Amino acid sequence: MLKLLILGGTTEASALARALAGDSRLDAILSFAGVTNAPRQPPIPWRKGGFGGVEGLVSYLQNAKIELLIDATHPFATQMKRHAAAASQIAKIPLLAILRPPWQPESGDRWTIVADMPEAARALGAAPRRVLLTIGQKDLAAFHAPQHRYIIRSVDPPVMPPPNAMLITARGPFDEAEEMALMTRHGIDILVTKNSGGTATAPKLAAARKLGVAVIMVARPPPPEMETVPDAEVALRWLNHAAARRGV
Ligand code: NAP
């Protein structure tokens, strides 16, 4: 069997895990950072928690005799991606990244594209706004301007929310009608989101378009140099080739 480690925490990692469940050629383990309180139970062996930097990941790969590394972390999980790229070089283990394409603006969208969270917070401006923040829980520090009302939606409740915030805990996928109802109910006039891409959370963009809600879109940080495919299906083809080459 060919042993592989999947760095997960995304829809793509879960899809790949489902596709590999019961595959007698590939012995896969799925890794979670452990940031969400209750990850969905995967159908393959899994582990949880950081490895301890590049050095820790190299030790893990060597001790577990991993032969292939798949980085299927979120497009904004930049540190883990850097560590995966470095560890694969040091341990001399092939690395494949699954990176879903970013969202593109469509006709009717009112996007302001910004480089990072501080710029997103500044782009809200001086006038009071009702802001829907869907950026996860670890990037909230920039959003503290007292004139705005923040509605924060995240998988787990944030540890340090801004004082003028209302919290909604929910896990996607969401549909467009739900998103429109949420924005209407809370009188949202601006949405702040990372350009995560993918279909699970895209309905908020369609809802914003229909309601004329402005969007502050935080652009993706550039990923490190690595061989990349757009989804789990293509990653599976890559793994099939790797398995065939190994004769398993
Ligand atoms: P990050 O900043 O790139 O990584 C921080 C540290 O978390 C890493 O150095 C590593 O610790 C640990 N880590 C990250 N992903 C891991 C994994 N799959 N398995 C084991 N350890 C992992 O990551 P992040 O942005 O906090 O994201 C954490 C997790 O949430 C990832 O699994 C990511 O796919 C998922 N996620 C992130 C976002 C987002 O917007 N950032 C959105 C949805 C899901 P060590 O250095 O100790 O190894």
Side-chain angles (χ1 to χ4, degrees):
M1 279 176 115
L2 197 53
K3 206 157 182 196
L4 67 126
L5 174 67
I6 305 167
L7 302 172
T10 56
T11 320
E12 289 75 12
S14 303
L16 188 60
R18 278 195 302 278
L20 292 177
D23 190 320
S24 58
R25 304 160 308 152
L26 296 156
D27 178 11
I29 178 157
L30 177 59
S31 176
F32 295 109
V35 285
T36 53
N37 290 333
R40 288 194 184 109
Q41 191 68 22
I44 61 168
W46 60 283
R47 65 168 298 285
K48 186 172 102 165
F51 297 94
V54 175
E55 214 175 292
L57 180 54
V58 171
S59 301
Y60 180 92
L61 294 171
Q62 291 170 339
N63 293 337
K65 301 198 176 359
I66 301 293
E67 298 166 271
L68 295 173
L69 177 59
I70 307 280
D71 173 70
T73 57
H74 190 269
F76 280 75
T78 43
Q79 182 166 304
M80 190 69 249
K81 287 185 192 305
R82 276 200 312 275
H83 291 183
S88 81
Q89 292 221 333
I90 297 168
K92 300 189 171 46
I93 291 170
L95 166 68
L96 181 74
I98 306 179
L99 194 60
R100 56 178 100 128
W103 293 315
Q104 301 295 339
E106 290 180 23
S107 163
D109 279 333
R110 297 174 54 214
W111 290 14
T112 302
I113 299 173
V114 297
D116 53 27
M117 289 303 161
E119 197 185 331
R122 283 196 297 278
L124 291 175
R129 314 291 299 263
R130 290 186 70 87
V131 188
L132 178 59
L133 286 174
T134 59
I135 55 171
Q137 35 162 331
K138 85 173 192 188
D139 294 308
L140 292 168
F143 298 91
H144 48 67
Q147 71 274 30
H148 304 309
R149 170 84 169 137
Y150 301 106
I151 288 81
I152 299 171
R153 184 178 66 195
S154 53
V155 174
D156 292 311
V159 182
M160 291 259 289
N164 38 346
M166 194 199 136
L167 310 180
I168 300 170
T169 51
R171 189 195 289 265
F174 303 103
D175 74 31
E176 194 181 311
E178 277 170 353
E179 297 293 51
M180 284 179 76
L182 174 80
M183 289 180 196
T184 308
R185 191 162 58 246
H186 294 286
I188 298 300
D189 52 41
I190 193 157
L191 163 73
V192 182
T193 176
K194 298 171 178 172
N195 194 335
S196 300
T199 54
T201 59
K204 65 187 168 189
L205 302 175
R209 189 181 308 126
K210 286 208 173 135
L211 294 171
V213 166
V215 175
I216 297 180
M217 182 64 72
V218 182
R220 288 182 179 188
E225 215 27 62
M226 41 193 182
E227 187 179 351
T228 299
V229 294
D231 56 33
E233 211 179 306
V234 188
L236 198 57
R237 289 210 288 274
W238 188 90
L239 287 171
N240 286 337
H241 287 308
R245 273 199 304 275
R246 259 285 303 275
V248 290

